[in-house]
Amino acid sequence: MKKTLYDKLWDEHHIHTYENGYSLIYIDKHLIHEVTSPQAFEGLKHAGRDIWNKNSIMAVPDHNVPTIQRDDGIKDPISKLQVDALNKNCKNNDLLKFDLDDVRQGIVHVVGPEQGILLPGMTVVCGDSHTSTHGALAALAFGIGTSEVEHVLATQCLLQKKSLNMNIKVDGEMSKYFYSKDLALVIISQIGTAGGTGYAIEYTGSAIKNLSMESRMTLCNMTIEAGATTGLVAVDDTTIEYVQNRPYAPKEQNLAEAKKFWKNLISDHGVHYDKTINIDISKSSPMITWGTSPEMAVNVDGKLPDLEDEKFSDKRQDLINAFNYMGLKEKQNVNSIELDKIFIGSCTNSRIEDLRIVADIVKNKKIAKNIKSAIIVPGSGLVKEEAEKEGLDKIFMKSGFEWRSPGCSMCLGMNDDKLSEYERCASTSNRNFEGRQGRLGRTHLVSPATAAAAAIHGHFVDVRDI
């Protein structure tokens, strides 16, 4: 019987199916951070349970950590309490953890693949919805809640309901300055933020085949914004080349055996998907979100929606609310939207490939006078180290950007990096709902290239024209 990649991964880890339709599956790797793990460890303690498999866990502080003046410590008492709890729980249980003073520290979804801790064919969970990132490695990866974090710690298993299979087939050559972040926004704007609900999405087609591993991670990272918990890309030479020399990856004979297994992590030819969506990307433009949902996205060279357009009839009130919150007008030219701040970072776009793109655009240029601050936050200490080795940090700072230490930073209003009320930000992160980056802050999701161009001009501009 022909199987999809998702079916193969599911069957490989399936233990038992219950009468209510839920199944028990085995979990290979468990990523933890400071926000969703303290309650889980406390639950284990009260129940008198031990961790089932300590070797399955990788821990890193990322959500609450400062990106500047780290020597001064964490000022917010709640944030400090969470990070201290992570430190204590990892020390007491002898778990692998990358501390703030470790060059390997960074955002959990950057560190895991970077270290080779996450590999093709694994099941991967984390108390963070953007665990879908790791599907780029052909891993069955998804976010879980705090009670589920405790369950996996105690049993190394999880109750899940199997998803349906969706294939998003992307063909055509991606034009210059059109990136995987733009592709993700094109997909979400077409299928909506509920379009993938109930499905595991596999991305296929010539355009996907040509993506780097870092670009595939960006695309799979944004899958959760399309309503699916899991995004997948099949194994190919690009996958194996990325994985094979990582610190925690298999070595020598183990690597040879692993490669044989990995090469089978593809959907069978002619397999049936429950739903297929075909997209030709060859004529697409860079994208921005204008509203308070990732599906509210338009071409950077276009205009904001016309509320009288019939296709918006079912969501007209949502659009009106978004216009009001964002302080924008219908049919407004995108390039008329002026900005206050620029954020380049997050688990979506903080890898070395992203930073090289930004450096290429801003080299020998200065950020616009109306930009109050423009920050660049690398995804890990190793990304930071590589960027500095290549001299990218000097390009950024000469242009007027702040060069920070790794962390989730301004992706979410959970640390010192926040928007003030009504400030407008071009952000390479993944969510733009009301208050995401700070109370009454206004977030526009964009690619690193579009964010860089906006920083130089002070407003949105088609990066292809500069």
Side-chain angles (χ1 to χ4, degrees):
M1 184 178 177
K2 294 179 178 180
K3 293 183 178 181
T4 64
L5 171 58
Y6 173 71
D7 291 336
K8 291 179 180 181
L9 294 170
W10 179 273
D11 292 346
E12 185 75 19
H13 295 86
H14 177 265
I15 299 170
H16 179 74
T17 298
Y18 296 92
E19 291 181 359
N20 63 2
Y22 280 83
S23 296
L24 193 68
I25 63 171
Y26 184 80
I27 302 302
D28 294 311
K29 287 293 178 182
H30 189 183
L31 309 179
I32 62 174
H33 54 79
E34 74 274 20
V35 176
T36 53
S37 66
Q39 305 94 320
F41 279 101
E42 193 66 20
L44 285 183
K45 181 180 178 181
H46 284 304
R49 298 189 179 102
D50 294 323
I51 295 174
W52 184 267
N53 181 5
K54 295 180 180 181
N55 292 329
S56 73
I57 299 168
M58 182 206 85
V60 62
D62 59 2
H63 281 59
N64 287 323
V65 302
T67 59
I68 54 173
Q69 299 176 333
R70 286 195 170 182
D71 293 341
D72 294 343
I74 300 172
K75 297 175 183 177
D76 180 76
I78 296 177
S79 296
K80 186 178 187 304
L81 189 64
Q82 289 181 330
V83 172
D84 288 346
L86 180 68
N87 293 339
K88 180 181 177 182
N89 289 326
C90 289
K91 184 177 181 180
N92 289 346
N93 291 282
D94 193 25
L95 303 178
L96 174 65
K97 175 175 171 287
F98 301 122
D99 294 310
L100 285 178
D101 58 356
D102 190 320
V103 71
R104 297 169 295 179
Q105 181 269 337
I107 304 171
V108 65
H109 304 310
V110 175
V111 174
E114 187 176 67
Q115 290 298 315
I117 291 170
L118 309 180
L119 300 170
M122 286 182 170
T123 44
V124 181
V125 297
C126 177
D128 185 289
S129 58
H130 290 98
T131 309
S132 58
T133 303
H134 312 298
L137 296 164
L140 178 51
F142 50 91
I144 56 177
T146 297
S147 62
E148 292 173 309
V149 171
E150 181 182 346
H151 195 276
V152 175
L153 288 173
T155 69
Q156 210 59 35
C157 298
L158 196 61
L159 280 172
Q160 284 286 293
K161 201 162 191 175
K162 190 178 181 184
S163 300
L164 298 172
N165 282 281
M166 179 187 289
N167 177 21
I168 296 184
K169 188 171 183 288
V170 186
D171 288 310
E173 186 175 348
M174 290 170 60
S175 61
K176 190 176 182 181
Y177 297 120
F178 183 92
Y179 298 97
S180 57
K181 180 64 161 291
D182 300 303
L183 172 57
L185 292 175
V186 167
I187 291 169
I188 297 166
S189 68
Q190 288 190 21
I191 72 173
T193 51
T197 303
Y199 292 93
I201 297 176
E202 182 181 354
Y203 300 100
T204 67
S206 59
I208 304 301
K209 187 79 174 174
N210 291 331
L211 291 178
S212 67
M213 277 305 302
E214 297 189 338
S215 294
R216 294 176 188 185
M217 289 182 201
T218 295
L219 181 59
C220 288
N221 175 280
M222 293 288 290
T223 299
I224 188 70
E225 268 64 61
T229 57
T230 298
L232 291 165
V233 178
V235 167
D236 58 12
D237 291 342
T238 301
T239 320
I240 294 174
E241 184 179 343
Y242 176 88
V243 167
Q244 61 185 357
N245 294 318
R246 302 285 162 178
Y248 287 85
K251 302 291 189 292
E252 299 176 349
Q253 185 59 35
N254 287 337
L255 177 61
E257 292 297 320
K259 284 183 179 180
K260 291 179 184 178
F261 172 68
W262 293 342
K263 287 180 179 179
N264 291 315
L265 295 174
I266 59 174
S267 289
D268 295 331
H269 181 70
V271 71
H272 170 74
Y273 292 88
D274 298 290
K275 188 172 185 177
T276 297
I277 295 172
N278 294 293
I279 294 177
D280 182 356
I281 210 68
S282 56
K283 295 182 181 179
S284 294
S285 299
M287 303 287 288
I288 74 151
T289 63
W290 64 268
T292 53
S293 167
E295 70 182 27
M296 296 177 181
V298 294
N299 297 341
V300 73
D301 55 351
K303 295 184 177 183
L304 303 192
D306 179 354
L307 289 174
E308 300 307 317
D309 192 322
E310 208 170 284
K311 67 181 178 182
F312 298 126
S313 58
D314 292 341
K315 296 185 176 181
R316 192 171 187 275
Q317 189 57 52
D318 291 338
L319 268 62
I320 291 172
N321 293 342
F323 275 123
N324 290 336
Y325 181 85
M326 295 295 290
L328 299 171
K329 298 177 181 179
E330 59 176 310
K331 297 184 282 188
Q332 183 175 343
N333 286 327
V334 171
N335 63 11
S336 70
I337 301 174
E338 294 196 354
L339 298 154
D340 300 301
K341 291 185 175 179
I342 308 292
F343 169 58
I344 296 170
S346 86
C347 61
T348 312
N349 285 120
S350 62
R351 298 172 178 85
I352 191 64
E353 177 180 280
D354 302 310
L355 303 188
R356 288 170 180 154
I357 290 167
V358 173
D360 183 59
I361 292 169
V362 305
K363 189 175 183 179
N364 298 323
K365 300 181 181 73
K366 293 284 188 181
I367 64 172
K369 292 181 179 179
N370 61 291
I371 299 298
K372 298 175 185 177
S373 74
I375 68 173
I376 299 179
V377 185
S380 73
L382 290 175
V383 172
K384 187 175 192 287
E385 194 175 66
E386 177 60 29
E388 291 173 352
K389 180 181 177 183
E390 296 179 17
L392 305 186
D393 60 320
K394 292 181 175 61
I395 293 173
F396 299 146
M397 290 187 286
K398 190 175 180 181
S399 295
F401 286 88
E402 295 179 51
W403 177 238
R404 301 290 190 91
S405 293
C408 291
S409 186
M410 203 188 287
C411 175
L412 73 173
M414 197 176 280
N415 49 65
D416 295 334
D417 305 340
K418 294 184 180 75
L419 294 182
S420 296
E421 292 184 4
Y422 306 113
E423 283 187 328
R424 189 180 303 282
C425 180
S427 175
T428 67
S429 52
N430 41 53
R431 289 191 170 163
N432 60 331
F433 56 74
E434 295 183 14
R436 170 69 173 184
Q437 291 187 291
R439 184 178 181 273
L440 298 179
R442 293 162 169 168
T443 301
H444 298 273
L445 304 180
V446 293
S447 73
T450 296
I456 299 304
H457 289 267
H459 59 83
F460 284 120
V461 62
D462 190 338
V463 67
R464 297 170 298 183
D465 294 337
I466 67 172

